[in-house]
């Protein structure tokens, strides 16, 4: 942009910057590869909020633009990885993509977000790695919940047996106690 004042007015001459189409197309192809990889992880590792979540997102967005339309492709991918309701699998990039001036910049933002997100979605949703072991949080929570319920039932039964004068051995509470102790030490 060349600016100068003329007769108390600003005058400017603007040149259209032609970004090299080959790198944009190459980056667009890379984005498509990344998106396909990302989507396969989303589907296989339980990142969808409900069955067919990604199918519904893609149906709303329409067909994915081709790599010869890099700006449209970047917008489409940004919308796909940040859908509503959110997947919680990628950083929010829609405002940055919309604010970017050039297709190459949009593609770079999308590619970076996909690469970061792939590291997250490689792992099954709801798992945690502890000392090299991948543990399912849901199973851990069910185990803890089961132990709490078992402990509550055990103490309740013990109080009832004492209150009503029952012999605990007759009603099998000793067996239940032993089982719950064994579970705690596994």
């Amino acid at each position: 942009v060349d600016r100068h004042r003329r007769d108390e007015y600003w005058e400017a001459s603007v040149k259209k910057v032609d970004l090299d189409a080959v790198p944009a197309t190459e980056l667009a192809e890379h984005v498509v590869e990344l998106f396909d990889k990302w989507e396969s992880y989303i589907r296989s590792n339980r990142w969808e909020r409900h069955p067919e979540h990604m199918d519904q997102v893609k149906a709303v967005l329409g067909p994915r633009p081709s790599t010869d339309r890099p700006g449209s492709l970047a917008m489409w991918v940004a919308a796909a990885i940040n859908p509503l309701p959110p997947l919680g699998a990628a950083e929010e990039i829609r405002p940055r993509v919309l604010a970017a001036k050039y297709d190459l910049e949009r593609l770079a933002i999308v590619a970076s977000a996909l690469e970061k997100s792939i590291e997250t979605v490689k792992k099954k949703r709801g798992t945690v790695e502890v000392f090299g072991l991948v543990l399912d949080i849901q199973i851990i929570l069910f185990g803890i919940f089961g132990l709490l319920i078992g402990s509550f039932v055990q103490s309740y039964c013990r109080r009832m047996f004492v209150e009503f004068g029952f012999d605990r051995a007759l009603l099998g509470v000793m067996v239940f106690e032993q089982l719950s102790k064994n579970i705690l030490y596994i």
Side-chain angles (χ1 to χ4, degrees), residues 72-85:
S72 297
L73 175 65
M75 297 285 197
W76 188 92
V77 172
I81 69 173
N82 295 139
L84 295 173

Side-chain angles (χ1 to χ4, degrees), residues 27-43 54-55 57-58 61-62 64 73-74 76-83 87 110-111 113-115 118 121:
L27 186 54
E29 289 169 0
H30 180 63
V31 165
V32 167
E33 290 171 11
L34 286 172
F35 179 79
D36 290 342
K37 185 177 183 180
W38 178 86
E39 184 181 10
S40 70
Y41 282 133
I42 289 291
R43 292 178 187 277
M54 280 306 297
D55 291 332
V57 168
K58 289 169 73 175
L61 293 176
R64 180 172 63 197
L73 175 65
W76 188 92
V77 172
I81 69 173
N82 295 139
L87 292 168
V110 168
L114 282 168
E115 288 167 352
I118 285 171
V121 299

Side-chain angles (χ1 to χ4, degrees), residues 21-22 24-29 32 64-74 103 107:
V22 175
T25 305
E26 288 176 11
L27 186 54
E29 289 169 0
V32 167
R64 180 172 63 197
S66 65
T67 56
D68 62 342
R69 296 178 44 219
S72 297
L73 175 65
D103 292 345
L107 286 170

Side-chain angles (χ1 to χ4, degrees), residues 12 14 17 39 77 87 100-102 105 122 125 138 142-143 146 158 167 177:
V14 178
V17 177
E39 184 181 10
V77 172
L87 292 168
K101 293 181 180 180
Y102 305 108
E105 185 181 357
K122 273 184 189 178
R125 183 180 199 129
Q138 189 174 12
F142 279 135
R158 189 176 290 143
D167 183 5
E177 280 183 43

Side-chain angles (χ1 to χ4, degrees), residues 151-164 166 168 173-174 176-177 180-181:
S151 176
F152 173 75
V153 168
Q154 179 183 7
S155 66
Y156 178 78
C157 289
R158 189 176 290 143
R159 279 194 311 244
M160 290 296 110
F161 294 145
V162 168
E163 186 176 321
F164 293 110
F166 292 124
R168 292 185 330 175
V173 172
M174 296 301 285
F176 182 75
E177 280 183 43
S180 64
K181 286 178 185 175

